[in-house]
Amino acid sequence: MADSESLETITEHERILQEIESTDTACVGPTLRSVYDDQPNAHKRFMEKLDARIRNHDREIEKMCNFHHQGFVDAITELLKVRADAEKLMGQVSDTNRRLQDAGREVTAQTEEVIRCRIQQRNMATTVEKLQLCIPGETPHLCKNLTAVDVIVDLLFITLFSQAQQHRTFNSAVQKQVTLSCAKPLYGLNGRTPLHHNGLSTEAADDEEMDEEVLTVQDLVDFSPVYRCLHIYTVLGDRETFENYYRKQRKKQARLVLQPQSNMHETVEGYRKYFNQIVGFFVVEDHILHATQGLVTRAFTDELWNMALSKIIAVLRTHSSYCNDPDLVLELKNLIVIFADTLQGYGFPVNRLFDLLFEVRDQYNETLLKKWALVFRDIFEQDNYSPIPVENEEEYKAVISRFPFHDAEIEKQQFPKKLPMSQSVPQIYSQVKEFIYASLKFSESLHRSSTEIDDMLRKSTNLLLTRTLSSCLQNLIKKPHIGLTELVQIIINTTHLEHACKYLEDFITNITNVSPETVHTTRLYGLSTFKDARHAAEGEIYTKLNQKIDEFIQLADYEWGMAESDGRASGYLMDLINFLRSTFQVFTHLPGKVAQTACMSACKHLATSLMQMLLDTELKQISMGLSGTLDSYGLSSIHHSEPVPGFQGDTLQLAFIDLRQLLDLFMVWDWSTYLADYGQPTSKYLRVNPSTALALLEKMKDTSKKNIIFSQFRKNDRDKQKLIETVVKQLRSLVNGMSQHS
């Protein structure tokens, strides 16, 4: 077994040695590793084997060297003998070469000329051949490069747009562009600059910005494919074919460029990308127009631009209508201005774009009006509808700094004191000014005169006052939770806002520097707005006051059959009178005519309601005692107390004159006078209608049928009963006579 393993090891070592001798040294590592991976002492035996193999090779090398040594020595000896002869031969060859060069110099010159001519001839033939082959192949190559041009136009406009934002009116960009390449300017100028809140115009960019590097279209776009194709077709005499092909392809690409994304209106980036590709497209076309002399014509670019302009306007008109954010509409306006001015600088007409801006301005104003409607609504909802309390001079100045309020009497009062308007008034005034500022932002950079900007500001402010604020006030007045006290405060508030309109006029004038005396200057309609709101509030006061009177009367529980008056008004009537007194005290804060009108309206309504109550068909019985109750205290206490100052004489009594004369007639039982003077202008009971007297008298007779016996009828004799029947007959006769006469 050991002999077998020894034999295998010897064989394996022999194989490894042969492999080492026959392979590259870089691969020896794995081979040697196998020796160490074998039996423990195998590497020692391998080393012995390797030493033996090395000694064997050394002996063979030594034998070979000994065998060839003598021949090597002989060769060296022969070479030393030849050296002298070789040096002589070298000199002879050099001399011969010099003579040949001198003799062949002329031939060499002629040969080189022939070679040069042959090369030119071959190149010309090759060029003609290649031109013939490239005619059909250059077309798709051109398409690819035209597509590449369209890809680059976005970068082109981004550069132009960045310059426009940095330089505003593009002065520095124009100067730099002219200096560098005498190309078209980046921006059309008209010498106007935008207005700001203070009414002053902004200046151009600082001088150091003039030194900033401005890239031109040549820097951003490689036009060599177009130039090469144009040159090739021109040389071949087929220029018109290429011109037609180029124009057809650019029309197709223009339609693709003009197609917007469906969600473009959602972000300003969507609009910016849309303008990027359009400006880049037409800047490239403008360069082609001026650089190629005929590849495109001005008529072609104008036709392409007019087609594009119609599409652009339709797209912007549609997408801007979806926008409800005034900030986004303002960003769109700024993009349109830069877009229009940039292309105008390249000679494209853009008047229709500026006309579109008026539509966008209307859309902007609509979004502002919606926004401020919410602002006004919040202000009204948070108002406490109470006079503004001011504890010290600092608080007083804080209020008048926001609202132009001046009252000599209030200024003389000591602190703490109250200003007549509620907190919503200075807030509304401030928000109207903020709206004017917001509206002014749209007018910036529109290249409009101060007069036009002034007119736009006044018109938009009028819309805010007459539509938005007016609607908010009208809705506020109609809200159920707004009571009489709140309505009185609203009237006071609108009065102060009306007086502040002249300050809004001055505010706009200070911004635009346009005198209000200028011809055709639009006036603010705030006066009519606040007057209409005040009249609506006054009408609502009358309505709510009458409704409150009706509520008291509906709750009344009168003893209709009381025999005699006790000299006191009923509890319900007393409550009503006390309510009217407290309400009329609130009216003292109102202008005189408003308070008097409200008081007169309430008294008339009260008199009418009491009359209707007496004549109600459902009321079948009534006594003289109730009539005395109504008159003894209730009516007389109202008109004699003069609840609102300013009534002349017995003016307030006119509200109760119909009811008062009717009650006097029944209380005095003065039927003979009534019947005798009926129809006379001086009649004591001129306001008593026979139909009314008859209806009330009918309720007091026929005691047996009514099952009601009045105390005064029990005491009177049958003659008085007959008198009543006689009066009833005479009243019926008067009523019938009136009917026949009518």
Side-chain angles (χ1 to χ4, degrees):
M1 184 67 179
D3 294 339
S4 175
E5 292 180 356
S6 177
L7 182 61
E8 290 178 359
T9 301
I10 295 173
T11 304
E12 178 64 17
H13 289 174
E14 186 66 29
R15 182 190 66 77
I16 292 173
L17 290 174
Q18 292 178 358
E19 186 173 349
I20 292 173
E21 292 173 347
S22 61
T23 60
D24 190 8
T25 57
C27 301
V28 172
T31 304
L32 294 177
R33 188 179 296 110
S34 62
V35 174
Y36 289 89
D37 292 341
D38 205 345
Q39 298 177 7
N41 298 322
H43 67 283
K44 294 182 179 180
R45 291 194 293 271
F46 176 76
M47 293 299 297
E48 295 174 355
K49 189 75 173 179
L50 182 61
D51 292 337
R53 180 63 62 91
I54 291 172
R55 288 193 297 272
N56 186 35
H57 281 301
D58 289 341
R59 286 194 297 271
E60 291 180 357
I61 292 172
E62 185 178 357
K63 288 180 181 179
M64 183 175 294
C65 289
N66 292 333
F67 179 77
H68 292 288
H69 178 265
Q70 186 61 42
F72 175 74
V73 172
D74 295 339
I76 292 299
T77 303
E78 292 294 330
L79 184 59
L80 292 173
K81 293 180 180 179
V82 175
R83 174 184 293 178
D85 296 334
E87 291 176 352
K88 293 180 181 179
L89 180 61
M90 193 66 177
Q92 295 174 358
V93 170
S94 298
D95 183 61
T96 302
N97 179 62
R98 184 177 61 258
R99 291 197 301 270
L100 287 175
Q101 291 291 336
D102 293 340
R105 185 172 287 107
E106 183 177 354
V107 177
T108 300
Q110 294 177 355
T111 302
E112 290 178 351
E113 181 65 21
V114 172
I115 292 173
R116 188 178 64 81
C117 292
R118 290 287 178 86
I119 291 174
Q120 290 179 347
Q121 183 180 16
R122 185 180 69 240
N123 290 344
M124 292 175 64
T126 302
T127 301
V128 172
E129 180 183 359
K130 297 300 182 183
L131 286 175
Q132 294 293 337
L133 293 175
C134 78
I135 289 177
E138 187 70 15
T139 296
H141 181 65
L142 173 62
C143 293
K144 293 179 180 179
N145 282 277
L146 289 179
T147 303
V149 168
D150 288 332
V151 172
I152 298 173
V153 296
D154 276 353
L155 175 61
L156 173 63
F157 182 68
I158 290 172
T159 302
L160 300 177
F161 185 76
S162 175
Q163 295 164 0
Q165 288 184 321
Q166 292 174 0
H167 301 292
R168 195 70 177 182
T169 55
F170 297 84
N171 285 326
S172 60
V174 172
Q175 295 295 332
K176 196 72 172 183
Q177 189 81 345
V178 172
T179 303
L180 290 177
S181 59
C182 296
K184 294 290 181 179
L186 294 178
Y187 195 78
L189 303 176
N190 64 358
R192 295 193 180 121
T193 51
L195 294 172
H196 287 275
H197 288 182
N198 57 7
L200 300 177
S201 60
T202 56
E203 297 297 329
D206 295 336
D207 291 339
E208 61 264 16
E209 292 182 355
M210 297 285 292
D211 298 330
E212 295 178 1
E213 181 181 2
V214 178
L215 297 178
T216 65
V217 62
Q218 298 96 321
D219 299 324
L220 298 172
V221 181
D222 179 15
F223 291 95
S224 58
V226 179
Y227 298 155
R228 288 202 307 271
C229 285
L230 180 62
H231 178 71
I232 290 171
Y233 275 86
T234 302
V235 170
L236 296 178
D238 202 12
R239 178 188 177 102
E240 184 178 356
T241 299
F242 178 69
E243 290 176 355
N244 294 334
Y245 172 79
Y246 177 85
R247 296 174 187 180
K248 181 179 179 181
Q249 291 298 316
R250 292 300 278 171
K251 282 185 177 180
K252 291 181 180 179
Q253 293 163 7
R255 293 187 180 94
L256 294 177
V257 166
L258 295 170
Q259 189 66 32
Q261 294 182 350
S262 59
N263 62 342
M264 181 179 73
H265 61 277
E266 295 178 358
T267 62
V268 68
E269 289 302 322
Y271 287 110
R272 181 177 287 111
K273 182 178 180 182
Y274 182 67
F275 289 128
N276 284 357
Q277 55 195 23
I278 296 174
V279 169
F281 181 92
F282 281 100
V283 168
V284 167
E285 286 307 296
D286 180 81
H287 179 80
I288 292 294
L289 172 67
H290 292 86
T292 59
Q293 298 180 352
L295 179 56
V296 294
T297 63
R298 173 56 68 183
F300 171 77
T301 56
D302 289 346
E303 177 188 359
L304 202 60
W305 170 244
N306 289 331
M307 179 272 292
L309 191 57
S310 298
K311 178 66 174 178
I312 293 168
I313 291 174
V315 167
L316 294 178
R317 183 179 288 125
T318 299
H319 282 263
S320 64
S321 64
Y322 298 145
C323 183
N324 295 319
D325 181 7
D327 294 333
L328 181 56
V329 178
L330 187 62
E331 289 286 352
L332 172 60
K333 166 257 173 182
N334 292 333
L335 287 176
I336 293 176
V337 170
I338 295 175
F339 172 76
D341 286 342
T342 302
L343 287 176
Q344 186 180 40
Y346 283 88
F348 295 101
V350 295
N351 290 337
R352 291 172 62 190
L353 283 174
F354 282 101
D355 293 338
L356 174 66
L357 282 175
F358 285 97
E359 298 181 30
V360 178
R361 181 198 64 191
D362 295 338
Q363 174 68 14
Y364 177 70
N365 284 337
E366 286 297 322
T367 58
L368 287 182
L369 292 175
K370 291 178 181 179
K371 178 179 179 180
W372 257 261
L374 299 176
V375 172
F376 291 150
R377 190 180 308 163
D378 291 340
I379 290 175
F380 289 139
E381 289 179 355
Q382 296 172 10
D383 195 6
N384 58 9
Y385 298 99
S386 300
I388 300 176
V390 286
E391 300 294 332
N392 49 51
E393 184 73 20
E394 183 179 355
E395 292 184 5
Y396 179 76
K397 290 183 178 179
V399 175
I400 63 175
S401 67
R402 295 185 295 138
F403 182 75
F405 174 77
H406 304 285
D407 189 299
E409 293 297 327
I410 294 180
E411 289 178 357
K412 294 177 181 177
Q413 296 176 7
Q414 297 295 323
F415 292 102
K417 54 188 175 183
K418 291 185 178 181
L419 305 184
M421 63 279 189
S422 66
Q423 62 184 4
S424 64
V425 172
Q427 293 175 351
I428 291 293
Y429 183 80
S430 298
Q431 285 301 322
V432 172
K433 292 172 64 176
E434 288 299 321
F435 176 88
I436 295 173
Y437 280 138
S439 182
L440 176 66
K441 289 181 180 179
F442 195 91
S443 303
E444 295 177 353
S445 305
L446 286 186
H447 313 317
R448 299 292 176 181
S449 66
S450 297
T451 303
E452 291 174 299
I453 293 176
D454 181 88
D455 185 65
M456 286 189 289
L457 284 181
R458 293 177 183 272
K459 287 181 178 179
S460 60
T461 306
N462 278 332
L463 283 177
L464 178 73
L465 296 176
T466 60
R467 197 172 79 184
T468 304
L469 183 55
S470 176
S471 176
C472 290
L473 284 170
Q474 296 293 339
N475 293 335
L476 173 68
I477 292 169
K478 296 295 183 181
K479 287 188 175 182
H481 71 276
I482 297 297
L484 293 172
T485 304
E486 288 81 3
L487 289 171
V488 170
Q489 187 62 56
I490 289 173
I491 292 176
I492 296 172
N493 289 350
T494 53
T495 301
H496 286 283
L497 287 171
E498 179 183 341
H499 294 161
C501 284
K502 63 179 181 180
Y503 295 99
L504 290 177
E505 294 264 9
D506 297 339
F507 177 71
I508 295 177
T509 299
N510 291 334
I511 290 178
T512 60
N513 291 326
V514 176
S515 173
E517 285 74 24
T518 304
V519 181
H520 305 307
T521 298
T522 304
R523 297 295 179 180
L524 294 184
Y525 302 146
L527 296 178
S528 61
T529 296
F530 298 122
K531 284 181 179 178
D532 293 343
R534 186 162 58 254
H535 291 159
E538 293 170 2
E540 194 67 18
I541 284 178
Y542 308 149
T543 301
K544 287 186 179 295
L545 191 55
N546 293 342
Q547 290 175 350
K548 199 67 177 178
I549 292 173
D550 292 339
E551 292 177 6
F552 277 101
I553 292 177
Q554 290 172 3
L555 293 173
D557 185 14
Y558 293 106
E559 187 179 348
W560 299 104
M562 64 187 302
E564 296 181 359
S565 172
D566 58 3
R568 296 181 295 104
S570 69
Y572 295 97
L573 190 57
M574 286 294 296
D575 292 340
L576 174 57
I577 293 171
N578 292 332
F579 165 74
L580 290 176
R581 284 176 175 171
S582 62
T583 301
F584 292 155
Q585 287 180 355
V586 176
F587 287 173
T588 57
H589 299 291
L590 292 174
K593 292 183 179 180
V594 178
Q596 294 168 14
T597 303
C599 182
M600 178 62 75
S601 173
C603 291
K604 284 183 177 180
H605 185 74
L606 175 59
T608 302
S609 299
L610 291 174
M611 180 71 78
Q612 292 175 350
M613 180 179 65
L614 290 174
L615 301 177
D616 190 354
T617 56
E618 296 183 0
L619 179 61
K620 306 299 183 181
Q621 56 191 22
I622 192 171
S623 70
M624 292 301 298
L626 179 64
S627 302
T629 299
L630 290 175
D631 180 69
S632 63
Y633 179 80
L635 302 183
S636 60
S637 65
I638 295 177
H639 62 72
H640 285 305
S641 63
E642 193 179 4
V644 173
F647 285 111
Q648 296 181 356
D650 295 333
T651 303
L652 191 58
Q653 293 186 27
L654 296 176
F656 298 98
I657 188 169
D658 291 357
L659 182 60
R660 181 59 183 266
Q661 289 186 9
L662 178 64
L663 294 178
D664 286 347
L665 176 60
F666 276 83
M667 290 293 297
V668 180
W669 204 252
D670 194 10
W671 292 106
S672 58
T673 303
Y674 175 76
L675 294 173
D677 295 343
Y678 178 75
Q680 300 298 322
T682 58
S683 174
K684 181 180 179 181
Y685 304 103
L686 182 64
R687 307 286 298 186
V688 179
N689 188 288
S691 300
T692 303
L694 177 61
L696 189 58
L697 194 59
E698 288 283 358
K699 297 176 183 291
M700 302 177 68
K701 79 178 190 70
D702 296 335
T703 55
S704 59
K705 294 181 180 180
K706 308 288 182 185
N707 203 17
I708 298 177
I709 301 177
F710 294 97
S711 60
Q712 61 265 41
F713 290 160
R714 295 194 190 107
K715 297 177 180 179
N716 293 337
D717 54 19
R718 295 180 62 86
D719 293 338
K720 191 169 185 178
Q721 180 66 29
K722 291 180 180 179
L723 177 60
I724 293 176
E725 293 178 355
T726 301
V727 173
V728 169
K729 289 179 181 179
Q730 291 177 339
L731 289 174
R732 285 176 179 170
S733 177
L734 289 176
V735 171
N736 292 333
M738 292 173 58
S739 300
Q740 293 176 1
H741 180 72
S742 61

